[in-house]
Amino acid sequence: MKDKRKRHISKMIRFLMTVLTSVLIVLILIIILMVSRIQGTARVVNYAGLVRGKTQRIIKLEDAGMPQDEMIADVDGYIEGLRFGSEELDLVSLDDKAFQAKMEELDAYFDTLKQEIDLVRQVGYENTNIIQKSETFFSLCDVATGLAETYAQRIATRLGQFEALTIIDIVILIFMILYELFKAFHYAKANRELKSKIYLDEATGLPNKNKCEEILTLEAEQNMAICVFDLNNLRIINNQQGHEKGDLYINLFAKSLRNGVDENQFVGRCGGDEFIAFFKNVTKEDVKRNLENIKKECAKCSEIPLSYAAGFAYSNDFSKLTMRELFCQADKNMYIDKNQAKINEATEKRDLILRVIQQLKDKGYNFSDCIYCDAKIDAYFTLRASYSFFLAEDGIYSGAVEQILNELFEENKKEEYRHVLQLDYLNECLTKENPVLEISYCHQIKRTKLKGKIIAVYLDSDEKNHLHHFALGFKIYYDTIEMDEKQQLMRYYDQLKQSILENDHYIEALMAMAQSIFSVNLTQNQIDGIYDNYMCADKKPNLPCDYNAYFKQLKANVLEGCLGSFSVVESSQSLLNRYRAGDKHVTVEYQIQIPHQGVIWIQEMILMSEDVIYDIDIQKERNIVRAIILFRNTSAFHEKEDREKKKLQLAYQKVDLESKAKTDFMNRMSHDIRTPINGILGMMQIIRKNWGDMDKLDDSLNKMEVLTKHLNELVEDVLNMSKLESDHMEIVNEPFDLNYMVEELNSLIDAQVSLQNITYHKHMENVVHTHLIGDALQLRRILVNLLTNAIKYNKSNGTIDTYVREISSDDSKVTFEFEIKDTGIGMSEDYIENHLFTPFSQVKQDARTRYEGTGLGMSIVKGLVDKLGGSIEVKSEVGVGTQIKVILAYQLDTSNTAKQDTSKLDLKDKRILLVEDNEINMEVAEFYLNAVHANVDKAWNGLEAVEKVKEQPNKYSLILMDIMMPKMNGDEAAKCIRKINPSIPIVAMSAQSEYSMNQMIMNDSISKPIDEQKLNHILSKYVS
């Protein structure tokens, strides 16, 4: 930013210098012109005086009788030149009105004077007014001369002003030029300093890579050497202790390097952690002496242990090498040294790991996940890690603490245990006297509860008796004894890997994963060794023994059904064939009969490899194939597998039964849905053919409405059942009027029973409280389903009785019993107990009524009653009828809020935005809105709706928003509108059964197809 500003100032100065130079040139030109003008004015003044003088001589001579025509002509020429300018006289015409006016007057008077001179010549001067007129003329000449002098003075004043401006311009230019010169000197100085620094590394003070590269371009000479150095642990220090420590590490080595190399020899930094030394006029012994000096200087460093790799190349060892080639040779030798250092460090680290793990084992700890921590340098590395361990192989301990807190502790526990895991706290509480600190944790991850312990174990202290090294082990507790196969195998693999890595006796490690291990020479058909801690000594064959013979004996106990699998390992030749076909390992399972133990499963894993040996007998090399065979008892796995198979079989049978029920349901649904659709299509044809018959039209429309409502009920049944099964059915608690709900229900049922020729009786017994709080919609669904079944399964001329009874109440709660009795076909006790509430079930599949339903009605009723915390009781007798009682409790509504009458809704002054992408849905909704005189604006997608609101944010009283739309859906559009106008009511319109309204962006929702009464309720709630 600073450099940018400087560049901007520099550009401005250069621009100003250009402008000032241009102005200076203009000023100089003006001054030149003005000087020229002044000079011309001076001649004018002179000639004005000359006119007077010559006129005086003319008068004197004429009075003396000496005519002066020539001088008169000269004066005429002078006057004309003074008026209009004259190249001959070198006169300019003055741009001054007063002077020109006076000259015009002078010219005219001179003509008068000339006439008087002619008269003098005729009668003598004594008889004329020549003297008086000449005096007047002389006065005019004096005035003209004065005007010319005044004009000249004005020009001179202006000239002085322009000269002052010119001087100011020149002074500013001089200062700017001096500034630019100062900058130029400054840049020159900076460039000189930069040139001096271009070969210097600022961090270490040594010559940098540029200087090193320059030297590498020189010719190699005799008795010259190049030595290359590379720091070993810089990356680890940067990762574990930070880059500040890494920079210190580099500087300390650079200082040690410079001190260790002879002063007259070159030392430089090639970049990063690489350094170079050039030796001239030296022997090999001199180079080695310098290397020893460097090692001693590095050993003196107590702040950070310095570890580096070095390699050198001596020019006398090679012929005709360039400096670059000599450098490459030194670099190769350095990498040899570096690899050896890495091997040594890896060996030291492995020894340390084994030593610490043994130390922990001696203390009684055998962690699957464990880290080794250095409290002095705030670092750690992993001792052991299972497949699920979450820490990196090494890093900063304090950083690991944060990851441990995030992985294992709940949010409200982090701060407490952050303090416990800090090095300061551990230094206080983890000592030789108190060598163990245990921290329990319990962490909920989704539905899994993770429990365990973190155990800090003291290992040693530093010279000041402060904590130096300690181990941090992790133990996980499992809630159940059983683990799934993947977990078990991964845990098993981790333990095996750790056992092999930490145990020099690999056979013992392999024994941890198998009951028996055979070492086999397949090429010679020979078992060389058997490792089995449980095999009795008398059962072990004398080794080496014949492989084929041993397995032939084993074959006698193999069950007949497993002989095919066993044949793979029955002979050494069979395994050799597998190996030559490309199989390096083979696994088989079979069952064998063990005397006094029964049948067990054996898993055999054969690991094969090829070796080259020198056969003394034939005096040449030959290949042999060896194998390690691991035997495991896998009976427990198979027992578990058998249990899982049985569970799977039961689950399959259950799913199969459900599938059959759903298939039957789909078959019935296809009929039930097609029936009203066919009826609607038929009514449409009747309407087209009877367009003029209003009675016929009205009858057809009424029937289409009944059919449409039935079709909608079929869909609602399926959706309601889906919600109940997925536990997505939401129960709302809103005020409602029981009387109003019952009257509405009776109106619906009256229309249906009249068509079926059924008598319908309504009874309200002991009903005192009717203003309730609860889910009126779900109560209506329960009663509609029960009454629909009562109609559907009733007999011709049958009866239905509905009872609403208030059976108990207190100050806040009231309990109702809803009873429905019919004289229908009835149900058997078996059907009631085992099938009535089963989805897709119907009492009499072969006697379906005209519009028999989905078989979900009673399942929905049971689900809703349970959801509402009620109870249902069913009594029935085949051929006699059915009695169903439902008991539900509701809160009393003490607010006495009257139900708003929406029949007189008038929204003529309100404007509503209707957002809908379907033309028919748009037309239907618009029709209902027009019926209440609302002003409707239409938008065909969410994006268009947002644009309309953006144009006039306060225009709309309500937005009816469809959810599923192109370009932008309803939820996204509502979010955008909320940012424009947070207070505007937005009501979602959705046909989705699982639509979950976001109350942060939507005020309410209404389902499609839109019901006029529900829409009017929404309008009265948010608009009127």
Side-chain angles (χ1 to χ4, degrees):
M1 191 69 183
K2 192 174 179 182
D3 291 341
K4 187 176 180 182
R5 188 179 175 188
K6 284 183 177 179
R7 286 197 298 272
H8 181 67
I9 291 171
S10 183
K11 284 181 181 178
M12 288 294 295
I13 290 172
R14 286 197 294 272
F15 174 74
L16 286 173
M17 286 177 69
T18 304
V19 172
L20 288 171
T21 303
S22 302
V23 170
L24 181 61
I25 293 168
V26 172
L27 287 172
I28 290 170
L29 290 174
I30 291 171
I31 289 170
I32 291 169
L33 290 171
M34 292 186 75
V35 169
S36 175
R37 178 63 63 87
I38 288 171
Q39 288 174 347
T41 306
R43 290 182 67 80
V44 167
V45 173
N46 291 335
Y47 271 92
L50 189 59
V51 167
R52 188 181 190 283
K54 277 217 174 194
T55 305
Q56 285 177 332
R57 286 185 66 194
I58 291 169
I59 297 300
K60 287 178 181 180
L61 291 173
E62 287 287 346
D63 287 348
M66 298 173 66
Q68 296 295 320
D69 291 333
E70 187 176 343
M71 288 182 68
I72 290 170
D74 287 342
V75 172
D76 273 330
Y78 294 162
I79 291 172
E80 186 178 358
L82 288 171
R83 287 188 67 190
F84 305 109
S86 171
E87 290 184 4
E88 184 181 349
L89 300 175
D90 195 15
L91 289 174
V92 295
S93 176
L94 296 187
D95 186 17
D96 186 77
K97 291 181 180 180
F99 175 78
Q100 290 296 337
K102 189 56 69 176
M103 285 305 300
E104 186 179 355
E105 184 183 351
L106 187 69
D107 189 14
Y109 202 84
F110 187 66
D111 289 339
T112 303
L113 193 61
K114 285 191 292 184
Q115 292 174 2
E116 199 66 28
I117 289 169
D118 289 340
L119 190 60
V120 168
R121 289 177 182 178
Q122 293 173 11
V123 296
Y125 79 93
E126 299 89 354
N127 300 313
T128 63
N129 293 322
I130 190 69
I131 300 302
Q132 292 85 351
K133 287 186 177 181
S134 62
E135 288 299 327
T136 302
F137 181 76
F138 295 152
S139 296
L140 289 173
C141 285
D142 290 340
V143 173
T145 303
L147 289 171
E149 287 174 346
T150 303
Y151 178 77
Q153 186 62 40
R154 286 204 307 271
I155 297 296
T157 302
R158 289 180 190 171
L159 179 61
Q161 291 172 348
F162 279 105
E163 284 175 347
L165 288 173
T166 304
I167 290 167
I168 293 169
D169 191 304
I170 291 169
V171 169
I172 295 172
L173 270 174
I174 288 169
F175 275 111
M176 287 186 173
I177 291 167
L178 288 174
Y179 174 76
E180 289 297 318
L181 283 172
F182 173 77
K183 272 182 30 179
F185 285 128
H186 176 73
Y187 286 141
K189 183 182 177 184
N191 286 333
R192 285 195 299 273
E193 290 177 356
L194 186 61
K195 285 180 181 178
S196 66
K197 289 182 178 179
I198 196 167
Y199 292 122
L200 191 67
D201 179 59
E202 292 184 5
T204 60
L206 297 176
N208 64 10
K209 187 174 182 179
N210 294 329
K211 187 63 179 177
C212 297
E213 289 292 331
E214 187 178 279
I215 293 174
L216 287 174
T217 61
L218 301 175
E219 291 294 327
E221 301 173 2
Q222 289 293 305
N223 303 322
M224 180 180 282
I226 296 178
C227 192
V228 179
F229 303 88
D230 190 81
L231 296 177
N232 287 331
N233 298 322
L234 181 62
R235 183 185 67 82
I236 296 172
I237 291 172
N238 281 333
N239 290 343
Q240 293 183 355
Q241 303 177 49
H243 287 278
E244 188 176 341
K245 281 285 187 182
D247 293 340
L248 176 62
Y249 190 67
I250 290 171
N251 284 322
L252 289 173
F253 179 75
K255 185 178 179 182
S256 301
L257 182 61
R258 181 65 273 176
N259 293 338
V261 174
D262 292 343
E263 190 175 350
N264 61 332
Q265 303 297 349
F266 176 88
V267 173
R269 184 184 180 190
C270 288
D273 59 351
E274 295 180 356
F275 294 81
I276 194 168
F278 292 99
F279 298 91
K280 296 180 73 173
N281 301 318
V282 291
T283 63
K284 264 191 180 182
E285 286 66 29
D286 291 333
V287 178
K288 291 178 181 177
R289 174 178 54 78
N290 276 271
L291 291 175
E292 283 299 319
N293 290 340
I294 295 166
K295 190 178 292 184
K296 290 175 183 176
E297 288 293 328
C298 289
K300 292 178 185 178
C301 181
S302 59
E303 295 178 69
I304 302 178
L306 298 176
S307 175
Y308 65 92
F312 77 92
Y314 189 55
S315 61
N316 295 10
D317 291 342
F318 307 95
S319 59
K320 296 181 181 180
L321 278 185
T322 64
M323 287 287 279
R324 179 73 64 184
E325 290 169 337
L326 195 65
F327 170 79
C328 291
Q329 289 295 331
D331 200 46
K332 290 177 183 177
N333 292 333
M334 182 272 291
Y335 272 101
I336 293 171
D337 187 43
K338 194 175 189 70
N339 288 334
Q340 187 59 47
K342 285 183 177 179
I343 292 169
N344 294 338
E345 286 178 3
T347 302
E348 289 174 6
K349 185 175 180 180
R350 172 182 163 77
D351 292 342
L352 174 62
I353 289 172
L354 294 177
R355 190 166 62 252
V356 173
I357 287 174
Q358 188 58 50
Q359 195 175 344
L360 292 172
K361 285 181 179 177
D362 294 342
K363 293 176 183 288
Y365 298 107
N366 189 20
F367 303 112
S368 295
D369 302 313
C370 183
I371 61 175
Y372 178 75
C373 309
D374 190 325
K376 287 186 71 175
I377 62 173
D378 188 22
Y380 80 90
F381 66 81
T382 303
L383 291 172
R384 279 181 167 182
S386 64
Y387 76 98
S388 59
F389 194 46
F390 52 84
L391 289 178
E393 186 177 349
D394 54 43
I396 300 171
Y397 171 77
S398 53
V401 168
E402 293 304 314
Q403 194 166 355
I404 291 168
L405 293 169
N406 287 335
E407 293 286 341
L408 302 180
F409 290 90
E410 299 288 355
E411 197 65 38
N412 58 347
K413 295 285 186 182
K414 285 183 181 180
E415 198 57 41
E416 175 187 349
Y417 288 104
R418 180 180 285 109
H419 170 69
V420 173
L421 290 169
Q422 293 301 323
L423 290 173
D424 292 341
Y425 182 83
L426 292 174
N427 187 47
E428 292 177 7
C429 66
L430 202 61
T431 62
K432 193 172 184 179
E433 292 74 26
N434 299 294
V436 177
L437 174 66
E438 294 188 359
I439 304 166
S440 299
Y441 62 84
C442 181
H443 190 188
Q444 188 77 24
I445 303 176
K446 294 182 180 179
R447 296 185 180 179
T448 304
K449 189 170 281 188
L450 190 65
K451 299 178 187 174
K453 269 186 183 179
I454 300 172
I455 302 175
V457 182
Y458 168 89
L459 295 176
D460 59 52
S461 300
D462 61 11
E463 62 280 357
K464 296 181 180 178
N465 207 29
H466 293 155
L467 179 65
H468 192 184
H469 297 106
F470 64 96
L472 209 64
F474 300 83
K475 279 190 172 182
I476 299 174
Y477 303 147
Y478 293 94
D479 289 337
T480 58
I481 295 174
E482 291 186 3
M483 287 189 288
D484 61 45
E485 287 85 349
K486 182 180 177 182
Q487 283 180 311
Q488 192 168 350
L489 287 171
M490 292 303 291
R491 297 281 294 173
Y492 183 75
Y493 167 74
D494 285 334
Q495 291 169 7
L496 172 65
K497 179 179 69 173
Q498 291 166 1
S499 179
I500 290 174
L501 290 175
E502 297 162 10
N503 197 333
D504 291 332
H505 305 288
Y506 296 116
I507 294 300
E508 282 77 359
L510 288 171
M511 287 292 290
M513 67 171 290
Q515 280 75 29
S516 298
I517 300 174
F518 284 21
S519 174
V520 180
N521 182 337
L522 293 175
T523 303
Q524 295 180 333
N525 187 37
Q526 180 176 290
I527 299 174
D528 295 327
I530 296 177
Y531 308 93
D532 190 333
N533 295 331
Y534 306 101
M535 187 180 288
C536 298
D538 58 345
K539 295 289 182 71
K540 285 186 178 180
N542 294 323
L543 301 175
C545 71
D546 187 280
Y547 177 92
N548 292 346
Y550 182 86
F551 274 82
K552 185 176 181 181
Q553 184 180 355
L554 181 63
K555 183 179 179 180
N557 295 322
V558 177
L559 298 190
E560 186 176 352
C562 299
L563 290 175
S565 298
F566 185 78
S567 65
V568 175
V569 297
E570 184 178 357
S571 68
S572 59
Q573 188 59 47
S574 175
L575 290 174
L576 283 171
N577 292 339
R578 288 282 188 130
Y579 180 81
R580 293 184 182 114
D583 293 334
K584 297 296 187 295
H585 70 271
V586 177
T587 302
V588 296
E589 276 193 306
Y590 48 84
Q591 288 178 287
I592 61 173
Q593 179 74 45
I594 303 291
H596 311 298
Q597 292 185 27
V599 177
I600 64 170
W601 279 95
I602 293 293
Q603 182 191 76
E604 220 182 297
M605 183 185 296
I606 302 97
L607 309 174
M608 294 176 281
S609 62
E610 192 168 4
D611 292 330
V612 180
I613 64 168
Y614 186 80
D615 195 325
I616 300 175
D617 297 332
I618 60 175
Q619 295 292 308
K620 67 176 183 179
E621 297 172 353
R622 69 188 182 92
N623 295 342
I624 63 167
V625 178
R626 299 186 186 276
I628 292 290
I629 304 177
L630 293 86
F631 293 88
R632 291 182 63 206
N633 184 342
T634 56
S635 299
F637 281 109
H638 285 279
E639 288 173 6
K640 186 174 181 180
E641 185 181 11
D642 290 341
R643 290 197 301 271
E644 291 298 326
K645 281 183 179 178
K646 289 178 181 178
K647 287 181 184 177
L648 189 61
Q649 186 68 27
L650 291 172
Y652 170 76
Q653 291 173 357
K654 183 180 178 182
V655 170
D656 187 49
L657 288 172
E658 289 178 358
S659 176
K660 287 178 180 177
K662 288 182 180 180
T663 301
D664 182 54
F665 158 72
M666 290 304 297
N667 290 335
R668 285 186 280 108
M669 276 295 291
S670 63
H671 172 271
D672 290 344
I673 290 174
R674 279 199 300 268
T675 301
I677 290 174
N678 290 335
I680 292 168
L681 292 173
M683 291 299 107
M684 290 171 66
Q685 293 297 324
I686 291 171
I687 288 172
R688 284 195 177 95
K689 292 179 180 178
N690 298 274
W691 196 249
D693 189 344
M694 294 307 297
D695 292 336
K696 199 72 173 176
L697 289 177
D698 191 49
D699 180 63
S700 298
L701 288 170
N702 289 334
K703 289 177 179 177
M704 285 174 68
E705 184 177 5
V706 172
L707 292 167
T708 304
K709 285 182 178 179
H710 177 70
L711 183 61
N712 190 48
E713 285 173 2
L714 290 173
V715 176
E716 281 294 322
D717 276 353
V718 177
L719 296 180
N720 288 334
M721 196 64 218
S722 174
K723 286 181 181 179
L724 285 167
E725 287 184 341
S726 61
D727 199 26
H728 286 172
M729 179 70 75
E730 294 184 3
I731 301 300
V732 298
N733 287 309
E734 294 179 342
F736 72 96
D737 188 331
L738 182 64
N739 279 334
Y740 181 82
M741 194 276 294
V742 171
E743 286 173 10
E744 186 184 55
L745 181 67
N746 289 335
S747 298
L748 176 67
I749 298 304
D750 284 338
Q752 293 186 42
V753 295
S754 61
L755 296 174
Q756 300 290 333
N757 198 21
I758 295 171
T759 303
Y760 179 47
H761 302 291
K762 289 87 73 174
H763 310 275
M764 299 283 283
E765 298 179 356
N766 195 34
V767 176
V768 178
H769 304 91
T770 59
H771 293 286
L772 311 175
I773 294 176
D775 199 327
L777 176 63
Q778 307 306 345
L779 174 59
R780 184 180 181 278
R781 280 178 177 161
I782 292 169
L783 297 177
V784 165
N785 271 301
L786 294 177
L787 286 166
T788 302
N789 277 352
I791 296 168
K792 188 185 303 179
Y793 294 106
N794 216 318
K795 303 171 185 175
S796 182
N797 299 316
T799 60
I800 298 174
D801 287 273
T802 300
Y803 298 88
V804 178
R805 302 185 184 97
E806 184 176 323
I807 57 177
S808 67
S809 65
D810 55 29
D811 293 338
S812 61
K813 194 174 182 181
V814 60
T815 304
F816 290 95
E817 179 184 80
F818 302 92
E819 181 183 355
I820 295 172
K821 295 170 66 176
D822 67 65
T823 57
I825 60 175
M827 298 173 284
S828 66
E829 287 187 18
D830 176 68
Y831 184 83
I832 293 172
E833 290 177 7
N834 300 313
H835 303 288
L836 178 60
F837 299 119
T838 302
F840 317 123
S841 175
Q842 288 181 311
V843 64
K844 207 170 183 182
Q845 304 271 348
D846 57 343
R848 302 183 69 201
T849 58
R850 185 179 180 191
Y851 297 121
E852 191 168 1
T854 58
L856 296 172
M858 292 306 294
S859 301
I860 293 169
V861 168
K862 183 67 167 68
L864 289 175
V865 169
D866 292 343
K867 195 86 174 173
L868 294 169
S871 63
I872 184 169
E873 178 186 341
V874 181
K875 294 180 181 178
S876 186
E877 186 177 344
V878 176
V880 176
T882 302
Q883 176 188 7
I884 300 177
K885 291 182 181 180
V886 174
I887 297 176
L888 294 169
Y890 291 95
Q891 296 291 324
L892 285 172
D893 181 13
T894 57
S895 62
N896 294 323
T897 304
K899 186 174 180 66
Q900 188 169 359
D901 183 12
T902 60
S903 61
K904 298 178 181 179
L905 203 59
D906 190 349
L907 306 178
K908 62 183 178 182
D909 297 326
K910 307 295 182 181
R911 186 161 292 278
I912 294 171
L913 179 60
L914 178 60
V915 190
E916 173 64 70
D917 67 319
N918 183 279
E919 291 185 12
I920 294 176
N921 290 345
M922 177 74 86
E923 186 177 349
V924 171
E926 186 181 12
F927 172 77
Y928 290 148
L929 292 172
N930 288 337
V932 293
H933 310 113
N935 299 301
V936 181
D937 283 358
K938 294 186 282 188
W940 297 95
N941 56 65
L943 192 60
E944 189 178 336
V946 173
E947 292 300 322
K948 284 182 177 290
V949 175
K950 195 180 291 183
E951 288 172 7
Q952 292 180 282
N954 299 312
K955 181 179 181 180
Y956 299 108
S957 303
L958 176 72
I959 298 175
L960 293 172
M961 180 76 71
D962 185 26
I963 298 302
M964 299 294 289
M965 291 184 293
K967 295 187 179 179
M968 182 185 285
N969 66 37
D971 284 338
E972 292 171 347
K975 287 178 184 177
C976 296
I977 291 170
R978 281 281 170 255
K979 294 176 182 178
I980 301 168
N981 183 350
S983 62
I984 188 169
I986 306 176
V987 175
M989 301 188 297
S990 176
Q992 302 175 56
S993 63
E994 298 296 324
Y995 175 67
S996 180
M997 185 182 74
N998 185 345
Q999 295 181 348
M1000 298 295 291
I1001 58 173
M1002 297 291 188
N1003 296 83
D1004 215 325
S1005 67
I1006 185 171
S1007 60
K1008 293 194 289 187
I1010 291 175
D1011 180 86
E1012 184 178 13
Q1013 189 172 355
K1014 291 179 181 177
L1015 177 61
N1016 287 345
H1017 176 72
I1018 290 287
L1019 294 174
S1020 65
K1021 183 176 179 181
Y1022 294 103
V1023 182
S1024 66

